[in-house]
C-alpha cells in the first residue's frame, strides 16, 4: 500500500470497518511512514476529543422562556379522548335544551380539541347536532354575558387546538370539525355584535370582532391546506395576542374561565 | 461502543446528567400528561443538559441551541399524550431532538461560504486559546470552533457519527440519505477538521 491507499482507508481503519488483511496492511504502512502516522494520530486525537466534549449547561433563562410559552399556550391534558367526547356530546345536547352557562362544558370541549391535537379528526360532529350555539333568546343582560363568555371560550378552545397541533398534522387534516365549529361561532359573533353594540361594552365587542376575523378564516379553509394558509391562521392568532387577551378578558364568571 | 437497540430506533447515548430510570420516567410522563407544572420542571431538569448539548453540537451556536431546546421541550409537553411508552423516554426525546435539529438545518439557507472563509474567522479565536498552553493543551475549544465552521451537511453527519456514536445506516435513515452519502460526508468532515486542527496538534506535540 502506498500513502494515498492508506489515506483513503484511514477512516475505515479507525472505525474498525476494514477487513483484517487490509487493516494489517494499513498498520504496516503506518509503522514505516511518518507522514501517514502523523495524520492517523491527529485524527485519533480529534475523534477521542469529539466523543468526550465537555457537557455544557443551558442558561436558566431557557426554562423561563419555555415556561412563559407554556403559560401563553397551555397544554391541554389528553386522556381517554373518545369517552370524554361522548360526555361532551351529551352535554351539548343537554345544553341545547336547558340554557346552562356553556362554560361548564369548556373542559369537556377541550377534549374534543384533543382530537385535533392528535391531528386526526376521528369524530366528526353528526349532522343535526351542528348547532353548537344555542338559539337566540330574547337576551337579558345575564344571558348576553353568558353567550359572550361562551363564544370567547369556545373560540379559545378552537384556537388552542390549532396552535397546539403540528403544522404537518394540520396540513393533512380535513379541517372538518374546525370549519364546523368556526361557522357556528361566526353566526354567534354576528348576534353578539348586534346586541353588544347597545351595551356600551366596547371592549368585549372588540374582542368578539377580533376573534371573528380568525374564525372567518377557519370557516373558509379548504381541506389539505398549504402551509402558508395555516401559518397565516396560526400567525394571526399569535400576532394579535388573542389567547392572552382572552385570558385577560374581564368577565363576571371569570374564575371558571381559568380552568384551562 | 453503545449496543444497538431493536427496531428502527437509533442507538442512543444515555443522558450524561442523571440516569434515565424507567420508574422515575413513568411518574414524569404521567404528571406531564396531566399538564402538571411540577412534572414538567422535573422532566426538564432530567433532560435539559442532554438535549441542549446535542443541539449545541449540531448547531454550535448558543442561541440556536437554546431555541432548539425550547422547541424540543415544548414539543415533549404537547406530544407526551401520544408517547406510547414502547420505547424508552430517552429514545423518544432523543429522536425528537435530532429531528428538530434536522428541520432546523433544512430551513437554514444553504451556506454558500466555503469552509476556509469561516476558518479564518475562528482562527483568531484559536490562537488566543494557545496562550494558556502551559496549563496543558486542550483541543476541545479548537475542535468546537472547527465543528462550527463545517458546512451544515458535514456537521450533522459528524455529530451523529463521531459525537453521538450512530452507525451510517442509522444516520442514513434519520437524514433520509444513502449510507454511502453519510460515509462520504463523514470523511469530508473529518478531512476538513484535520486540515484545520493539525497545526494545533503539531504545535502542541513539539512543545
Ligand atoms: Zn504514507
Amino acid at each position: 500500500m502506498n500513502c494515498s491507499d492508506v489515506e483513503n482507508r484511514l477512516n475505515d481503519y479507525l472505525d474498525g470497518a476494514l477487513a483484517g488483511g487490509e487493516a494489517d496492511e494499513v498498520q504496516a504502512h503506518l509503522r514505516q511512514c511518518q507522514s501517514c502516522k502523523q495524520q492517523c494520530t491527529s485524527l485519533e486525537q480529534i475523534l477521542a476529543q469529539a466523543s468526550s466534549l465537555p457537557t455544557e449547561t443551558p442558561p436558566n433563562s431557557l426554562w423561563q422562556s419555555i415556561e412563559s410559552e407554556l403559560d401563553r399556550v397551555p397544554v391541554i391534558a389528553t386522556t381517554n379522548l373518545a369517552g370524554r367526547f361522548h360526555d361532551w356530546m351529551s352535554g351539548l345536547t343537554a345544553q341545547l335544551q336547558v340554557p346552562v352557562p356553556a362554560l361548564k362544558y369548556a373542559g369537556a370541549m377541550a377534549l374534543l380539541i384533543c382530537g385535533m391535537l392528535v391531528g386526526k379528526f376521528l369524530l366528526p360532529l353528526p349532522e343535526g347536532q351542528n348547532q353548537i350555539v344555542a338559539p337566540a333568546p330574547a337576551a337579558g343582560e345575564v344571558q348576553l354575558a353568558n353567550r359572550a363568555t361562551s363564544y370567547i371560550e369556545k373560540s379559545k378552545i378552537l384556537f388552542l387546538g390549532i396552535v397546539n397541533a403540528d403544522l404537518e398534522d394540520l396540513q393533512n387534516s380535513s379541517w372538518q370539525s374546525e370549519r364546523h365549529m368556526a361557522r357556528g361561532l361566526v353566526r354567534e359573533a354576528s348576534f353578539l355584535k348586534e346586541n353588544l353594540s347597545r351595551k356600551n361594552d366596547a371592549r368585549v365587542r372588540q374582542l368578539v370582532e377580533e376573534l371573528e376575523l380568525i374564525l372567518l378564516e377557519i370557516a373558509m379553509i379548504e381541506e389539505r391546506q398549504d402551509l402558508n394558509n395555516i401559518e397565516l391562521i396560526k400567525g394571526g392568532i399569535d400576532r394579535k395576542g388573542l389567547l392572552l387577551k382572552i385570558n385577560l378578558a374581564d368577565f363576571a364568571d371569570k374564575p371558571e374561565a381559568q380552568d384551562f | 461502543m453503545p449496543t444497538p437497540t431493536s427496531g428502527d430506533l437509533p442507538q442512543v447515548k444515555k443522558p450524561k446528567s442523571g440516569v434515565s430510570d424507567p420508574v422515575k420516567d413513568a411518574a414524569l410522563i404521567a404528571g406531564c400528561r396531566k399538564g402538571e407544572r411540577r412534572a414538567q420542571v422535573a422532566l426538564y431538569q432530567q433532560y435539559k443538559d442532554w438535549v441542549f448539548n446535542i443541539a449545541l453540537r449540531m448547531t454550535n451556536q448558543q442561541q440556536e441551541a437554546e431555541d432548539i431546546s425550547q422547541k424540543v421541550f415544548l414539543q415533549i409537553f404537547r406530544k407526551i399524550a401520544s408517547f406510547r411508552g414502547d420505547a424508552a423516554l430517552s429514545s423518544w426525546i432523543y429522536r425528537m431532538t435530532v429531528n428538530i435539529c434536522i428541520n432546523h438545518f433544512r430551513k437554514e439557507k444553504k451556506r454558500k461560504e466555503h469552509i476556509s472563509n469561516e476558518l479564518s474567522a475562528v482562527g483568531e479565536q484559536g490562537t488566543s486559546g494557545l496562550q494558556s498552553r502551559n496549563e496543558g493543551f486542550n483541543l476541545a475549544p479548537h475542535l468546537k470552533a472547527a465543528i462550527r465552521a463545517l458546512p451544515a451537511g458535514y456537521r450533522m453527519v459528524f455529530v451523529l457519527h463521531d459525537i453521538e456514536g450512530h452507525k451510517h445506516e442509522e444516520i442514513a435513515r434519520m437524514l433520509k440519505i444513502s449510507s454511502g452519502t453519510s460515509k462520504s460526508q463523514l470523511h469530508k468532515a473529518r478531512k476538513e477538521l484535520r486540515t484545520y486542527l493539525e497545526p494545533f496538534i503539531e504545535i502542541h506535540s513539539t512543545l
Side-chain angles (χ1 to χ4, degrees):
Chain A
M1 262 188 208
N2 61 28
C3 290
S4 82
D5 293 332
V6 169
E7 198 186 341
N8 287 335
R9 288 170 177 76
L10 207 49
N11 285 292
D12 285 339
Y13 172 72
L14 288 173
D15 290 340
L18 278 190
E22 271 192 312
D24 290 345
E25 279 186 67
V26 170
Q27 214 161 18
H29 180 94
L30 290 177
R31 269 197 296 272
Q32 48 169 0
C33 176
Q34 191 51 41
S35 136
C36 287
K37 174 79 190 152
Q38 175 64 48
Q39 271 193 31
C40 183
T41 312
S42 304
L43 201 47
E44 268 178 320
Q45 284 194 39
I46 291 167
L47 296 185
Q49 182 66 71
S51 58
S52 63
L53 279 175
T55 301
E56 291 173 44
T57 305
N60 292 335
S61 61
L62 178 56
W63 171 253
Q64 283 153 20
S65 46
I66 292 171
E67 192 165 39
S68 71
E69 196 60 23
L70 285 172
D71 290 337
R72 197 175 67 81
V73 185
V75 176
I76 299 169
T78 51
T79 42
N80 190 12
L81 180 61
R84 297 301 189 89
F85 180 76
H86 285 292
D87 293 352
W88 176 71
M89 283 308 294
S90 36
L92 183 65
T93 316
Q95 183 194 343
L96 291 176
Q97 288 152 4
V98 189
V100 187
L103 269 181
K104 293 266 156 64
Y105 301 101
M109 283 185 64
L111 287 148
L112 162 69
I113 310 301
C114 295
M116 307 178 191
L117 270 181
V118 191
K120 297 181 183 93
F121 302 84
L122 323 151
L123 303 157
L125 288 174
E127 293 298 322
Q129 285 179 310
N130 284 2
Q131 289 292 107
I132 289 174
V133 175
E141 267 181 48
V142 178
Q143 271 169 324
L144 188 61
N146 278 345
R147 283 182 72 162
T149 311
S150 165
Y151 164 85
I152 289 166
E153 281 302 320
K154 283 171 181 165
S155 304
K156 174 181 171 177
I157 295 165
L158 181 62
F159 295 174
L160 274 179
I162 292 170
V163 173
N164 266 304
D166 275 352
L167 274 179
E168 211 175 287
D169 293 341
L170 288 174
Q171 201 179 0
N172 295 325
S173 87
S174 71
W175 285 88
Q176 199 184 339
S177 329
E178 286 94 338
R179 221 170 27 225
H180 210 101
M181 204 161 159
R183 282 176 189 166
L185 287 168
V186 167
R187 281 197 294 274
E188 184 68 355
S190 55
F191 166 83
L192 288 171
K193 281 195 302 187
E194 211 171 283
N195 290 278
L196 282 169
S197 57
R198 301 186 216 112
K199 299 299 296 176
N200 290 334
D201 203 335
R203 256 188 66 230
V204 179
R205 194 171 188 281
Q206 194 193 341
L207 182 56
V208 168
E209 278 174 5
E210 283 180 69
L211 294 174
E212 189 192 16
L213 286 178
I214 307 280
L215 288 169
L216 276 169
E217 283 179 50
I218 300 171
M220 312 283 268
I221 204 161
E222 301 292 337
E223 281 182 29
R224 308 229 161 239
Q225 273 304 303
D226 70 276
L227 276 174
N228 283 344
N229 283 341
I230 297 169
E231 272 178 336
L232 215 66
I233 291 177
K234 275 192 160 190
I237 296 170
D238 256 19
R239 203 170 40 253
K240 298 190 174 116
L242 282 176
L243 293 171
L244 197 65
K245 278 190 197 163
I246 295 172
N247 282 332
L248 298 177
D250 196 20
F251 292 105
D253 34 9
K254 193 180 167 205
E256 274 191 277
Q258 295 290 306
D259 268 3
F260 61 102
Chain B
M1 276 301 255
T3 48
T5 52
S6 62
D8 65 345
L9 274 179
Q11 45 182 336
V12 170
K13 266 188 175 180
K14 287 288 169 222
K16 284 174 189 165
S17 58
V19 191
S20 182
D21 167 1
V23 179
K24 199 172 164 193
D25 280 351
L28 289 182
I29 294 163
C32 288
R33 279 199 174 130
K34 288 184 224 148
E36 287 172 9
R37 186 55 51 89
R38 248 193 357 194
Q40 291 170 342
V41 172
L43 186 141
Y44 173 79
Q45 288 297 343
Q46 174 88 359
Y47 288 100
K48 69 175 165 56
D49 287 356
W50 194 44
V51 167
F52 178 68
N53 278 272
I54 295 168
L56 196 57
R57 298 307 161 227
M58 290 285 239
T59 62
N60 257 282
Q61 308 263 8
Q62 175 83 14
Q63 190 53 51
E64 285 178 33
E66 288 179 30
D67 293 348
I68 287 173
S69 304
Q70 174 174 352
K71 259 193 199 156
V72 170
F73 281 101
L74 287 171
Q75 206 173 104
I76 290 172
F77 298 142
R78 300 206 194 292
K79 284 193 151 180
I80 196 132
S82 65
F83 172 63
R84 291 193 311 264
D86 47 8
L89 180 63
S90 56
S91 309
W92 186 67
I93 293 177
Y94 183 81
R95 177 178 274 189
M96 203 178 270
T97 307
V98 171
N99 282 341
I100 289 178
C101 288
I102 292 167
N103 286 337
H104 177 84
F105 282 119
R106 291 210 174 114
K107 280 180 200 157
E108 195 181 73
K109 292 261 182 306
K110 280 216 161 173
R111 285 153 59 111
K112 287 177 232 112
E113 327 89 299
H114 189 261
I115 182 165
S116 53
N117 298 344
E118 294 209 15
L119 283 178
S120 58
V122 293
E124 296 161 28
Q125 228 179 298
T127 23
S128 69
L130 274 181
Q131 285 161 0
S132 58
R133 61 192 159 199
N134 291 340
E135 298 151 28
F137 176 63
N138 183 6
L139 185 59
H142 307 290
L143 177 59
K144 285 196 275 182
I147 294 173
R148 175 180 179 160
L150 286 176
Y154 293 5
R155 184 166 64 226
M156 261 191 295
V157 174
F158 179 80
V159 169
L160 289 171
H161 190 281
D162 286 343
I163 298 185
E164 293 297 323
H166 290 286
K167 294 176 176 155
H168 287 298
E169 297 74 53
E170 294 167 336
I171 296 168
R173 262 201 307 271
M174 283 189 255
L175 301 183
K176 298 193 172 75
I177 54 178
S178 71
S179 31
T181 303
S182 171
K183 211 166 171 178
S184 75
Q185 297 275 89
L186 178 71
H187 290 186
K188 286 175 190 156
R190 284 179 176 178
K191 193 170 180 185
E192 298 272 17
L193 291 178
R194 193 166 50 77
T195 307
Y196 173 64
L197 291 169
E198 214 149 42
F200 296 105
I201 296 171
E202 273 169 26
I203 287 169
H204 164 66
S205 57
T206 55
L207 281 174

